[in-house]
Amino acid sequence: MQPVIELFGLSKMFGVGDATTVALDDINLTIEKGEFVAIMGPSGSGKTTLMNILGLLDTPTHGEYYLEGKAVTDLSQHKCAKLRRDHIGMIFQNFNLLSRSTVIDNVALPLTYRGNAQAKRLTAASKLLRTFGLNEREYYMPYQLSGGQLQRVAIARALVTNPAIILADEPTGNLDTKSSEIIMSELADIHMQGNTIIMVTHNPDVAIYANRVIQMIDGTVASDSKHPETLNTTGNKRPLSSFRKAMDAAVNANKEFVEATAALLPPKTRGKRKAAAARRKRMAIKSRKAKK
Amino acid sequence: MIRFLSDYKIAVANLKATRVRTALTILGIVIGVASVTMILALGEGDKNMVKTQVNSLGENVLTVRPGKAYRDSSGNITNYNFLAALSASTLTEKDLQSISQIANVETAAPLMLIAGNISDTDGQSQQGTIVASNENAADALGLSMRAGEFLSADTPSHTVVLGDDLAVALIGSDVAIGQKIILRGQSYTVSGILNHSSSSASVSNVFDINQAAFISMDDGKSFNQGIAQIQQINIRVADTSQIGATAQSVQQELLKNHGNEEDFSVLTPEEIVQLTNTVLKVVTSFIGAVAAISIVVGGVGVMNIMLVSVTERTREIGIRKAVGATYFQILSQFIIEALLMSIAGGVIGIAIGYALAYTAGTLMGFMPGVTWPIIGIAFGISIGVGLVFGAWPAIKAARKDPIEALRYFQ
């Protein structure tokens, strides 16, 4: 089967000269259709940059990105926008709904840019909202909804074009525990229906819903652990305990790393000019660790 | 098409959300478009007035006056000081004769204005002008008789034809003929009284026909030591389509008489009317400049507000781009918003412009012209302003980096 996403030697750098920051460093990654991937890592590890590139909002400095077998690295902005519209659904930490549009108009927004007629747009949006239990809130304004409801509206918007991949950047970052659970079980449901989801998160409790966890450190993939069994065979929304253990190990490793680097890097040294030097230091620690 | 409809709805919603701001921006356009509409309507009214005057004068009348008319390369008169020229007329009876012999000249009537007292037999003076002319004057000036008959070749001397206002003032009637009046101390018999004339432009700025006393050239010369002092020659041509060629023949003939010195001018009906409307032209070109400036100011207002709107809605633009809006879709959304404001301003402006034009027209004594081209031009200008001044903010919006835009703090 054709993988949905293939990345070969993907790098992203910001700035020029001494101030160059390497956000992504030679990433090679393949994501198959139907996977639910959680990308974890400390702040500044390149998770969001990777998401932006996957979502065609940003372009890599080097490397190749194939979306559904098609090279998309050198596409024009116009074509990128169309691919975003038809193949990618995005969910954000702060929901990013249009504050002056109704719930149903927000959900139907991607279809508007596809050029669908209003009746068709609203029918599709209404159908989706019903599956999220929001059919009575269709003509509410975003400020009239709770955080959990807003995120469900955002998920409905991401799904309305039936995209190949769904990108979620900290989907539960702004939600309380209970709402987070609801949102994650919604995403797990969507995943079980065969959708591919790539999610960035800090929270291990959220990451356990995924069947593959990618740990990112300093712009590279530090670990990539797959769930031994796929969720949809058992119908169990919760992952198995063995997977949980593997994940906890990854999370702990991450924590240790963060603590170690934090000790070495006092906050004051984190100026833009010294970013490169700091990065070199961190790389040195990393290689020492690897030798051990 | 569907997208434009939804762009329209988005634009209306956004404009409604910032009512006061939108209204003030529209006001700027309203002022600009209103002044453009007013100036165009007044210009059209002026043109109509010229046409009416040319018609009343007759399209087939050439006027010869002393003094040179200065023309630009396209033949329009740029400067003509006929009042100064009146003091020492260069036109002679010989000129009149030369003109009469030119082909296509049907009749030629001299006008010799004579200063002098007009009074009734009791010595009561009245305001008026003594005009010496020949039998062709009635035809060349388009005069008609209320009573009696006009001067002819065999009219006895000391006979006068009065304008109706002067007749009423002198003899208390506009139909009684055979009465005596006194011109420069000499007794004249009234042989005819003219119908009231809506004074035509070729003579209205020289004298008022309704206040005129027409006498024969010989009588006129007798008041001027036997010398003809012709201030104007009116020529009626037989074939109106050849009026331009005839004007040139007249010009050439007179140049011969005047030793190649161009101390006279041959004026077509349009040129005569033009001369009377120079003041209006100055006024209209002044308002025109004001209108152009206010259109630009209105446009800058639209641009300003659109730039504010784009900055305020940075995050919205980021969201729209993230869900797949293309460059042109964002561009058209903002262009449509600017267009809506400028079109609304245009429609209101056209209405107000016409209202102002009617007010101004009433004060100036003529009606502004209401034509589709004027409405079209004013509407076109308002659309143009929206496009031109909405373009940059829209491009700025469409070029926004979606990542930066999504990060924008509202």
Side-chain angles (χ1 to χ4, degrees), chain A residues 84 94 96 100 113 116, chain B residues 2 14 315 320-321 329:
Chain A
R84 265 203 304 276
N94 51 4
N96 277 336
R100 286 208 280 253
Y113 290 119
N116 290 1
Chain B
I2 285 164
N14 283 320
R315 197 183 183 83
R320 289 182 185 278
K321 284 201 146 186
Q329 285 169 334

Side-chain angles (χ1 to χ4, degrees), chain A residues 28-104:
Chain A
N28 292 290
L29 191 64
T30 304
I31 294 170
E32 302 287 343
K33 187 170 164 52
E35 281 190 307
F36 187 168
V37 182
I39 299 176
M40 298 185 74
S43 293
S45 60
K47 304 182 304 276
T48 303
T49 306
L50 180 63
M51 285 298 255
N52 285 339
I53 290 174
L54 290 180
L56 296 173
L57 291 171
D58 207 348
T59 50
T61 316
H62 304 294
E64 291 296 321
Y65 170 18
Y66 290 88
L67 178 64
E68 294 189 300
K70 198 181 161 195
V72 292
T73 325
D74 298 322
L75 288 183
S76 68
Q77 287 212 351
H78 184 77
K79 282 188 176 150
C80 280
K82 284 189 164 173
L83 281 174
R84 265 203 304 276
R85 184 189 72 195
D86 295 332
H87 299 274
I88 299 167
M90 289 202 201
I91 301 164
F92 302 90
Q93 179 173 4
N94 51 4
F95 324 126
N96 277 336
L97 297 173
L98 296 180
S99 55
R100 286 208 280 253
S101 299
T102 58
V103 163
I104 195 164

Side-chain angles (χ1 to χ4, degrees), chain B residues 220-396:
Chain B
K221 280 193 281 185
S222 74
F223 285 135
N224 197 31
Q225 299 161 16
I227 301 160
Q229 262 285 347
I230 300 173
Q231 274 84 20
Q232 178 169 317
I233 299 171
N234 274 33
I235 303 164
R236 188 172 287 274
V237 298
D239 183 357
T240 311
S241 63
Q242 294 296 313
I243 193 163
T246 312
Q248 277 185 337
S249 316
V250 172
Q251 179 91 9
Q252 280 158 11
E253 278 301 314
L254 293 188
L255 272 177
K256 265 188 242 161
N257 287 356
H258 291 238
N260 271 336
E261 179 65 32
E262 199 181 334
D263 52 3
F264 61 90
S265 39
V266 183
L267 305 167
T268 60
E270 285 81 6
E271 287 171 335
I272 284 282
V273 174
Q274 253 179 33
L275 289 174
T276 65
N277 290 328
T278 45
V279 176
L280 190 68
K281 284 242 158 60
V282 172
V283 173
T284 50
S285 50
F286 175 73
I287 307 175
V290 173
I293 292 168
S294 51
I295 276 283
V296 172
V297 172
V300 169
V302 168
M303 187 186 262
N304 197 8
I305 282 307
M306 287 310 295
L307 283 174
V308 170
S309 178
V310 167
T311 306
E312 277 182 353
R313 284 150 69 192
T314 300
R315 197 183 183 83
E316 178 196 322
I317 294 163
I319 296 169
R320 289 182 185 278
K321 284 201 146 186
V323 301
T326 62
Y327 178 91
F328 291 105
Q329 285 169 334
I330 298 289
L331 189 80
S332 74
Q333 183 195 327
F334 281 90
I335 288 263
I336 284 176
E337 206 167 307
L339 271 180
L340 270 184
M341 281 198 279
S342 67
I343 288 174
V347 171
I348 301 168
I350 289 169
I352 292 180
Y354 266 116
L356 288 177
Y358 271 102
T359 315
T362 314
L363 293 176
M364 286 196 253
F366 68 94
M367 277 296 108
V370 183
T371 59
W372 283 112
I374 290 176
I375 294 171
I377 288 169
F379 198 65
I381 285 174
S382 67
I383 289 176
V385 165
L387 281 178
V388 170
F389 291 95
W392 185 48
I395 289 171
K396 215 179 151 195

Side-chain angles (χ1 to χ4, degrees), chain B residues 51-73:
Chain B
K51 225 182 265 172
T52 321
Q53 287 183 345
V54 169
N55 285 344
S56 78
L57 180 65
E59 290 169 336
N60 53 354
V61 174
L62 285 173
T63 308
V64 183
R65 282 183 183 168
K68 183 177 177 176
Y70 294 90
R71 290 178 162 87
D72 62 16
S73 53

Side-chain angles (χ1 to χ4, degrees), chain B residues 7-46:
Chain B
D7 279 347
Y8 166 79
K9 282 180 184 164
I10 292 165
V12 169
N14 283 320
L15 294 178
K16 270 187 185 167
T18 52
R19 267 168 225 267
V20 176
R21 200 161 84 180
T22 305
L24 289 174
T25 311
I26 288 175
L27 181 65
I29 297 287
V30 166
I31 292 169
V33 174
S35 44
V36 166
T37 310
M38 184 171 86
I39 193 70
L40 289 175
L42 286 180
E44 185 72 17
D46 174 37

